[in-house]
Amino acid sequence: MNMIQAINSAMDVMMDRDPTVVVMGEDVGFFGGVFRATAGLQAKHGKNRVFDTPITECGIIGVAVGMGAYGLRPVPEIQFADYIYPALDQLVSEAARLRYRSAGEFIAPMTVRSPFGGGIFGGQTHSQSPEGIFTHCSGIKTVIPSTPYDAKGLLIAAIEDNDPTIFFEPKRIYNGPFDGHYDTPAKSWAGHADAQVPAGYYRIPLGKARIAREGQALTILCYGTMVHVVENVVAAHGVDAEIIDLRSLVPLDIDTIEQSVRKTGRCLIVHEATRTSGFGAELLAQVQERCFYHLEAPIERVTGFDTPYPHSLEWAYFPGPVRIREAINKIMKD
């Protein structure tokens, strides 16, 4: 399966297993979603369980909060992560706080799916990476897969979870892994080991990172599309790096991170979101606090810039192979 098919399969499996799971969002029903991630679900499960909503992100999430409080497990889709901002009040003030302020009487077991990130010439309103906003808000879990296999297992775990989860899907790798070289032919997931996705039920626990590549000289922390870009750079330049795919930002598998950095003594953090207050800043702080006496060089970050995502200069903004290689060279030289 590619990532779209894996995500579709996860929802289909959960709707078969649990009659309280419902899918909702703009164009998710008859049309099957702008990226076709919900294709065929309405025809199989009916219009009462897979239904289109008005174009109102605040309303979509507000209704989902009420559904969760009354025993359903809604899976709302925000068509692009850039449009999630109108729903922030419902997500932060209601969904994230419901369990706490009701002393556990009510919960908000909702999984908000949304394509995020750049690499498809979407410009400033279809390319943003707002994950850092949600990691700041206690009560919300934030999950980002990097492979079809992980996408299905993590989405199932998120749907089963009793807390609200933001499930960001890196749209640049929906159909195949991306090595960061935009001017080379696109690759497919076909034949890729991580595209071997079981048709049935399985889950990947939230809060457990994946070691995408073992190494001894450098730890690289990344997630989503950047996992594949980093893997390509490391392979191309023969760097003995350990690449950790975080999978979920909250909860964070800090134990795996700490063990790796204590072993390698060096750490590079890579993400596509803007630099200031990006999740990389939290990762840097955590590594510095826990591994200071094991570090042999300053921690480096390669990120997007503190600007709107530019359309005409997309590949200057994108943390590509050149900037990652320069950061690796700097760390290894220190």
Side-chain angles (χ1 to χ4, degrees):
M1 299 182 190
N2 62 28
M3 190 176 285
I4 295 173
Q5 293 166 331
I7 289 166
N8 181 283
S9 179
M11 289 184 282
D12 186 31
V13 166
M14 287 307 298
M15 295 184 82
D16 278 337
R17 288 172 60 93
D18 186 346
T20 68
V21 175
V22 297
V23 173
M24 55 194 287
E26 299 161 12
D27 297 321
V28 303
F30 177 81
F31 185 65
V34 68
F35 290 102
R36 314 302 292 159
T38 57
L41 295 182
Q42 186 182 80
K44 178 177 179 180
H45 298 284
K47 294 182 179 179
N48 289 332
R49 296 187 66 197
V50 183
F51 57 91
D52 296 320
T53 66
I55 303 175
T56 168
E57 286 75 19
C58 177
I60 293 169
I61 300 304
V63 168
V65 172
M67 286 179 164
Y70 277 86
L72 297 177
R73 290 188 178 272
V75 186
E77 175 183 294
I78 301 297
Q79 202 166 79
F80 288 88
D82 313 63
Y83 302 143
I84 204 168
Y85 303 117
L88 276 179
D89 183 46
Q90 294 293 334
L91 285 166
V92 175
S93 302
E94 306 299 336
R97 308 286 190 256
L98 188 59
R99 180 202 288 268
Y100 177 83
R101 78 189 212 193
S102 69
E105 184 176 354
F106 294 101
I107 58 175
M110 53 192 286
T111 302
V112 183
R113 293 182 41 254
S114 190
F116 92 128
I120 64 165
F121 292 102
Q124 63 176 343
T125 58
H126 295 81
S127 305
Q128 296 174 59
S129 299
E131 65 271 17
I133 294 173
F134 298 99
T135 62
H136 179 73
C137 301
S138 57
I140 298 177
K141 296 178 179 178
T142 306
V143 178
I144 302 173
S146 68
T147 68
Y149 182 86
D150 282 2
K152 180 173 179 178
L154 290 169
L155 182 53
I156 287 174
I159 294 172
E160 290 181 332
D161 199 277
N162 284 335
D163 289 315
T165 301
I166 306 295
F167 193 88
F168 281 133
E169 301 163 6
K171 55 182 175 287
R172 184 60 181 82
I173 56 173
Y174 265 154
N175 293 302
F178 179 54
D179 62 11
H181 295 289
Y182 62 92
D183 51 354
T184 59
K187 298 178 181 178
S188 167
W189 282 112
H192 196 286
D194 291 318
Q196 305 304 312
V197 179
Y201 173 90
Y202 69 94
R203 71 194 309 273
I204 297 173
L206 305 184
K208 183 62 179 175
R210 175 179 71 98
I211 298 178
R213 182 190 188 278
E214 294 186 353
Q216 300 293 324
L218 167 67
T219 298
I220 304 180
L221 308 179
C222 49
Y223 50 89
T225 300
M226 302 316 302
V227 173
H228 304 280
V229 180
V230 166
E231 284 180 328
N232 173 67
V233 174
V234 166
H237 297 279
V239 182
D240 186 19
E242 183 151 287
I243 301 172
I244 297 181
D245 175 5
L246 298 181
R247 282 176 166 167
S248 72
L249 310 188
V250 177
L252 178 67
D253 186 359
I254 190 62
D255 291 338
T256 295
I257 294 172
E258 183 176 355
Q259 290 170 13
S260 178
V261 176
R262 284 173 176 265
K263 175 180 67 175
T264 65
R266 291 177 168 84
C267 182
L268 171 64
I269 299 164
V270 183
H271 63 64
E272 193 178 342
T274 51
R275 183 180 183 89
T276 299
S277 299
F279 191 68
E282 174 63 22
L283 290 171
L284 190 151
Q286 293 262 16
V287 172
Q288 185 78 356
E289 289 170 2
R290 295 165 179 267
C291 306
F292 177 78
Y293 291 107
H294 293 80
L295 291 171
E296 299 178 20
I299 303 166
E300 292 289 331
R301 284 183 290 166
V302 180
T303 70
F305 297 119
D306 292 339
T307 70
Y309 210 114
H311 185 274
S312 61
L313 297 174
E314 174 152 21
W315 299 113
Y317 180 98
F318 189 88
V322 173
R323 284 206 280 146
I324 294 172
R325 185 180 70 247
E326 289 173 349
I328 291 175
N329 291 341
K330 182 178 179 181
I331 294 175
M332 300 306 293
K333 183 174 64 176
D334 288 340

